[in-house]
Every structure is written in C-alpha cells, then in structure tokens.
Amino acid sequence: MTEFPITDDDGLVQCACEADEILRLLADASRRRVVESLANYEDTWIHREQLAQRLAGSHEEEPINNWERDLHHVHLPMLEDTGIIEYDRQEGTVRHYQCDGLADVLDAVEPE
C-alpha cells in the first residue's frame, strides 16, 4: 500500500495515511469542503465553531448549527482517525496537519 506522510508546521512526520483512507475521506463532498477550508486557513489551529462559520459563510442555505453538528459527530472524527487533524472535543479546537497525498487528490477532484 502507498502511504503518505502527515507532517506538522516544522515538517516533522506525525504519522502516515494510506491512499485508500484518503479516497474514503474525500468521497464525501462536505468533507472535501472541510479539508479544503482547513488547508486554506492561515493557522494550524481553529475552533470548531469558527470552522463551521467559514463553511456556512458562502452557502446561506446551510445553517452554522448543521455544520457544527456534522463537524463534531462525523467529519472531524473521521479526519482525526487518519491523523490529518487532532480534535479536542471538550474545547472544540482542531489542529490541522499537512498531507501532500490528500492535497494532491483534492486538487485532482476539485480543481480551482
């Protein structure tokens, strides 16, 4: 299996994820939006509520509460399981890591 390193800001490898995990993560359009939003965020830390606001901001038909619920129960746990993020459920904070394989697949699926 092909593995892709997941690195922090300093380039230190935190873990690795397999190609199948990346494809499973990006199979969902909402999760692609989450991953893209995290990748485009200027900091490596963000609060779940702030992320929900960013995601709902351009789509008024999607209430922030729905995004917060889906982030907390579905998207963030899946991303955390693969090591792409660290998610503190109590504090609602998310730390995002870099995975070139994830970015490459996302660019191929959602070209700008």
Side-chain angles (χ1 to χ4, degrees):
M1 284 286 166
T2 302
E3 287 192 342
F4 298 94
I6 298 172
T7 58
D8 64 15
D9 286 349
D10 298 326
L12 298 173
V13 175
Q14 299 297 311
C15 61
C17 65
E18 294 183 1
D20 287 346
E21 291 176 308
I22 290 174
L23 295 173
R24 182 177 55 90
L25 286 175
L26 298 180
D28 181 79
S30 293
R31 202 162 21 265
R32 287 194 301 271
R33 285 181 53 197
V34 172
V35 169
E36 185 174 23
S37 184
L38 289 170
N40 292 329
Y41 190 63
E42 60 275 357
D43 197 0
T44 56
W45 290 92
I46 190 169
H47 194 275
R48 181 187 62 238
E49 182 179 297
Q50 187 178 9
L51 179 57
Q53 288 172 347
R54 290 173 55 90
L55 292 164
S58 60
H59 297 83
E60 292 185 21
E61 70 277 1
E62 299 175 343
I64 291 172
N65 291 342
N66 289 355
W67 269 110
E68 274 200 76
R69 181 197 63 227
D70 291 349
L71 285 169
H72 180 71
H73 292 290
V74 180
H75 304 306
L76 297 179
M78 285 186 78
L79 292 169
E80 185 175 43
D81 286 346
T82 60
I84 301 295
I85 66 163
E86 287 179 26
Y87 176 44
D88 183 328
R89 288 164 177 78
Q90 296 295 328
E91 298 294 322
T93 55
V94 178
R95 181 176 184 188
H96 176 257
Y97 294 106
Q98 176 66 32
C99 178
D100 291 337
L102 186 71
D104 292 345
V105 173
L106 185 61
D107 286 345
V109 174
E110 299 281 337
E112 292 185 49

